[in-house]
Amino acid sequence: MSSIWFCCPSFLSQSIISCPAKFAFSVSSAATIDHQQHSYLANLAKPSINLRPFLAPRGLRLSERLLVQCSYLYSPNLQNETRLVYSFFRQIGLQDKEIKFILEQNPSLNSTTFDSIRARVFLLQSAGIKGVELYRLIMKCPDVLTAAEIDSFFHFVLNSLQGKIEPLQLKRLLATTEPRFLVGFDRKVKLLLDHGVPQEKLVHILNNVNLTKALCFKSIEEIDRSSTFLCRYGGINLIVRRPMILNFDLETQLIPRIEFLKELSGGDEEATRTLLCKLPAILSYSVDHTKGHVELLRSFAGLTDPQIFKIFLVFPNVISASKERKLLPRIGFLKQCGLSSDDIFKFLTKAPLFLGLSYEENLVHKLVVLVKIGYEYRTRDLAVALGAVTRTSCENLQKVIGLFFSYGFSSADILAMSKKHPQILQYTYTSLLEKMEYLIEGMGREVGELLAFPAFLGYKLDDRIKPRYEAKKNVIGEGMSLNKLLTVSADRFSAEKEKSHP
């Protein structure tokens, strides 16, 4: 078989064109090709050949490169070309009427050789655009089969980027971008590397941006200016964590959005940088959107700009909370509970999740539990308790209440303890269980002592409670004050310990 390939290239070329399936069989099992296949292929051979230079697109599999290279060795006549184009397009899934429409609407296809069309299709397939997606792409943008810019673009994608760009990402790009905008794509990508994008993060970025907006429609100068500007506010870190930032226009989007946040911070560029690094996605929101949230917090909650910015720093996702469904009713609830503007500020900096949690799936269940243990609705105490339990799940809250009941506490006891130390409602069930067991079994104390000092449950068992108790039990005895034992500073405790052990 190999002697036929080298001695009669037109034989191979015409065989490939006329019967690609048999050629595929020949490539995979040339050693076992039978006499009948030799006869069939020989009957298709043409006596005349037309040798001309060829170069298969890089990135193709070996069998496809052989096929493309060999197809350049022969040029059939125009009638045969049309027949082959129809046959080839049918294999892709196009109907005759669709093929006819494409050829009529795109004259460049009629002047393009079948060899070139087929080579381009193989190129698209090698990048992962196959099946239905290939069919849809050709139907929508048949110029992908003829545009000269496609070859150099895919050469870069398949070789320099190792073919790691997702097929659907490439398909979206080709379907929405004129081929002329693909020129310079490689230089723009390399510019990102020059600005510090780690090589291992490059493909991640390219797979998570709108390639048309981020690169193709922008000049190298625009990309350079955007990257340089962002360097003051987190730069490459922002881009790696939120690649779609590259989609935004520098003059009309990035600069106005960042400047508004900077103005809100009082001109503090470092604080603005901190905010952006905490939530790069905040740059996805327009100035008008952010202004709307700021104005609501100013007018309805009575907060100052520094207070609003501090809330943004603590909980940047406040920007994504719906004004109508979350901000207005929840701030309204706090005002009904008697909280002043300063109280609301303190509440939101300590319990910012109050603005983000679902009411139906989270907050309402916690409110029911709090009311059941004795909290009165629309009171300051209820607001404080609700703020504390935003940091725990509904399931954990119920288990914590059940644990207190199992140790003999009443609802009134739990209410009294949580008013003194609201955090006991947010501690994990397992942590509370360990501390209560140690209080009773390890220290020999009564669980009722928690009524006077519920903050005991907030100290770390292994780091503070056990070491201090072991250090003091032989000096003070079992009747030592839990409050004094745990609230004394580390320095003072060490000094007292040294005095008792000269």
Side-chain angles (χ1 to χ4, degrees), residues 362 366 388-394 396-397 425-428:
N362 192 296
K366 294 173 180 177
V389 298
T390 57
R391 295 179 177 270
T392 189
S393 67
C394 297
N396 185 72
L397 175 60
L425 298 174
Q426 71 185 38
Y427 297 144
T428 62

Side-chain angles (χ1 to χ4, degrees), residues 73-141:
L73 296 174
Y74 182 77
S75 292
N77 59 44
L78 183 60
Q79 182 179 3
N80 197 38
E81 289 268 291
T82 303
R83 178 178 63 80
L84 293 173
V85 167
Y86 266 81
S87 177
F88 187 62
F89 279 167
R90 290 190 195 107
Q91 294 176 28
I92 295 174
L94 277 69
Q95 302 296 320
D96 283 0
K97 61 180 181 180
E98 295 173 326
I99 300 171
K100 182 179 180 182
F101 176 79
I102 289 176
L103 294 176
E104 289 176 348
Q105 297 299 315
N106 299 272
S108 58
L109 272 174
N110 293 306
S111 59
T112 303
T113 66
F114 168 68
D115 296 340
S116 298
I117 293 173
R118 183 172 54 176
R120 182 62 57 80
V121 169
F122 286 152
L123 193 61
L124 296 172
Q125 290 175 330
S126 69
I129 305 175
K130 303 176 181 178
V132 175
E133 295 302 328
L134 177 61
Y135 162 81
R136 291 174 177 170
L137 179 61
I138 292 175
M139 283 297 299
K140 183 176 182 180
C141 305

Side-chain angles (χ1 to χ4, degrees), residues 471-472 475 493-502:
K472 288 288 188 178
V475 178
F493 183 82
S494 298
E496 292 178 355
K497 183 179 178 181
E498 290 176 1
K499 287 180 181 180
S500 60
H501 296 84

Side-chain angles (χ1 to χ4, degrees), residues 110 158 168 203 238 244 251 277 295 318 342 344 348 397:
N110 293 306
L158 293 172
L168 285 181
V203 172
L238 296 181
M244 67 180 297
E251 300 296 334
C277 289
E295 184 55 37
V318 67
D342 285 341
I344 292 174
L348 294 180
L397 175 60

Side-chain angles (χ1 to χ4, degrees), residues 1 17 56 58 108 131-132 147 197-198 206-207 323 432 436-437 478:
M1 181 67 179
I17 295 170
R58 297 180 65 180
S108 58
V132 175
V197 170
L206 296 178
N207 278 326
K323 290 189 298 181
L432 291 183
M436 293 174 77
E437 287 179 345
E478 295 183 352

Side-chain angles (χ1 to χ4, degrees), residues 17-35:
I17 295 170
S18 303
C19 190
K22 288 190 175 291
F23 172 79
F25 178 87
S26 299
V27 171
S28 62
S29 55
T32 60
I33 188 168
D34 57 29
H35 177 73

Side-chain angles (χ1 to χ4, degrees), residues 27 98 131 200 253 285 346 348 387-388 428 465:
V27 171
E98 295 173 326
E200 64 274 14
Q253 293 176 309
Y285 296 94
K346 293 175 183 178
L348 294 180
T428 62
I465 297 176

Side-chain angles (χ1 to χ4, degrees), residues 368-381:
V368 169
V369 172
L370 294 175
V371 170
K372 281 185 176 181
I373 62 175
Y375 279 97
E376 294 183 22
Y377 193 61
R378 293 181 180 176
T379 61
R380 178 181 293 270
D381 288 334

